[in-house]
């Protein structure tokens, strides 16, 4: 991916958005998304893929909710011991009991900006969250609470986005910043998002047809276009078979 082309697309998009600010046609806190078009639908993954951006999309006042295994008290104390600022820690038992009703789930969703989930309980969370969290752009982000540098793991997770819809179509949208970001910071986030995507989704750049940059209401500005747009078969890894004797 050419950094110069990314910079050019970011500059053009920001110029367009800032020109609209005076007429209130652009939300200054609107998300900027990287739109990826694949040549072939990627293979569906068993679990969502975590993509970590270089810079967080949130402010220092961001409210973070952490969902953990039981007992809840153990993880509250763990956060305190590691000097990690978390607005709320909820054990899975309490989550199922206190936030069972749809209205309670909506209130919980609207009360926090980011939801981090212990990777041990992550598989059951998406179905429990339901569509409301995803429509609000608050898909749960997995964390490994066994990490030695736990503070770094939590900080990294707040800069991450979970890709949960691979294998459902040729297009993928990844939030990478906001209209209020400066150009350099936004460019670095775009590059880090694309780098992580290519590293985690087989076969990487080879299967990407085009990349665009846009906000919800702006035009899509091209960042990358493959010279060869021909589709190809995504090869599966061969599993060696045992030889009978």
């Amino acid at each position: 991916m050419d950094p110069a082309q990314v910079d050019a697309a970011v500059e053009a998009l920001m110029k367009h958005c800032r020109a609209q600010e005076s007429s209130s046609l652009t939300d200054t806190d609107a998300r900027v998304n990287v739109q990826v078009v694949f040549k072939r639908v990627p293979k569906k993954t068993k679990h969502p893929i975590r993509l970590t951006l270089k810079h967080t999309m949130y402010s220092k006042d961001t409210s973070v909710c952490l969902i953990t295994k039981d007992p809840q008290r153990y993880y509250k104390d763990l956060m305190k011991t590691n000097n990690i600022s978390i607005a709320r820690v909820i054990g899975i038992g309490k989550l199922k009991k206190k936030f069972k009703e749809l209205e309670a789930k909506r209130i919980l969703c609207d009360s926090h900006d980011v939801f981090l989930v212990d990777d041990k309980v992550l598989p059951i969370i998406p179905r429990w969250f339901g569509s409301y969290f995803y429509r609000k752009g608050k898909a749960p982000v997995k964390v490994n609470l066994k990490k030695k540098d736990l503070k770094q793991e939590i900080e990294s997770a707040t800069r991450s986005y979970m890709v949960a819809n691979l294998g459902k179509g040729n297009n993928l949208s990844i939030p990478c910043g906001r209209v209020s970001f400066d150009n350099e910071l936004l460019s670095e986030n775009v590059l880090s998002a694309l780098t992580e995507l290519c590293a985690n989704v087989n076969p990487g750049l080879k299967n990407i047809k085009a990349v665009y940059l846009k906000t919800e209401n702006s035009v899509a500005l091209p960042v990358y276009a493959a010279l060869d747009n021909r589709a190809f078969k995504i090869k599966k890894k061969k599993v060696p078979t045992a030889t009978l004797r």
Side-chain angles (χ1 to χ4, degrees):
M1 207 67 65
D2 184 4
Q5 184 60 32
V6 172
D7 290 342
V10 167
E11 183 177 357
L13 181 64
M14 292 300 97
K15 184 177 180 180
H16 168 76
C17 290
R18 287 159 188 160
Q20 302 299 313
E21 287 179 8
S22 58
S23 57
S24 300
L25 295 177
T26 298
D27 179 5
T28 56
D29 200 39
R31 285 190 174 187
V32 177
N33 298 315
V34 174
Q35 289 193 329
V36 180
V37 182
F38 296 102
K39 295 176 184 177
R40 289 183 67 91
V41 177
K43 184 180 178 182
K44 188 175 181 180
T45 55
K46 186 176 181 181
H47 300 294
I49 296 173
R50 176 173 140 181
L51 305 181
T52 302
L53 304 177
K54 186 170 183 179
H55 307 284
T56 182
M57 290 180 55
Y58 306 100
S59 68
K60 292 181 179 179
D61 299 325
T62 297
S63 178
V64 178
C65 178
L66 173 64
I67 299 172
T68 70
K69 295 194 305 178
D70 292 326
Q72 176 179 293
R73 171 51 59 188
Y74 170 81
Y75 293 98
K76 282 187 175 182
D77 293 341
L78 184 64
M79 295 301 111
K80 188 175 181 179
T81 300
N82 286 273
N83 195 28
I84 299 172
S85 178
I86 295 288
R88 189 171 191 177
V89 176
I90 306 177
I92 191 67
K94 183 176 181 179
L95 185 73
K96 291 180 177 180
K97 183 178 180 180
K98 188 173 180 180
F99 301 96
K100 183 186 298 185
E101 302 300 326
L102 179 59
E103 185 59 28
K105 292 180 182 180
R106 288 178 174 175
I107 292 173
L108 176 64
C109 179
D110 294 338
S111 299
H112 304 285
D113 302 299
V114 183
F115 288 85
L116 307 182
V117 181
D118 182 353
D119 58 3
K120 301 299 182 183
V121 298
L122 181 63
I124 67 173
I125 293 299
R127 182 180 296 179
W128 183 90
F129 265 14
S131 61
Y132 187 76
F133 282 78
Y134 293 89
R135 290 201 305 269
K136 289 287 187 175
K138 298 179 182 181
V141 178
K142 71 175 180 180
V143 290
N144 182 353
L145 298 180
K146 296 293 185 180
K147 285 277 189 178
K148 186 175 181 180
D149 190 344
L150 187 55
K151 192 168 186 176
Q152 172 59 30
E153 170 69 0
I154 297 294
E155 190 276 331
S156 177
T158 60
R159 291 187 283 111
S160 299
Y161 174 75
M162 297 296 289
V163 178
N165 57 343
L166 276 176
K168 296 182 179 179
N170 284 71
N171 299 305
L172 177 66
S173 183
I174 306 170
C176 60
R178 299 184 182 275
V179 172
S180 57
F181 283 17
D182 64 54
N183 291 11
E184 182 179 359
L185 188 149
L186 184 56
S187 291
E188 290 176 346
N189 269 8
V190 172
L191 283 170
S192 62
L194 293 172
T195 300
E196 290 250 324
L197 180 68
C198 289
N200 285 280
V201 181
N202 180 53
L205 187 61
K206 185 179 179 182
N207 191 33
I208 294 180
K209 180 178 181 179
V211 177
Y212 301 92
L213 197 63
K214 72 182 301 294
T215 65
E216 183 180 353
N217 299 314
S218 76
V219 295
L221 298 176
V223 174
Y224 168 83
L227 295 177
D228 183 1
N229 286 331
R230 290 177 297 176
F232 59 94
K233 186 175 181 179
I234 299 177
K235 296 180 180 180
K236 297 181 179 179
K237 292 182 179 179
K238 292 183 178 180
V239 179
T241 56
T243 303
L244 296 177
R245 295 184 179 180

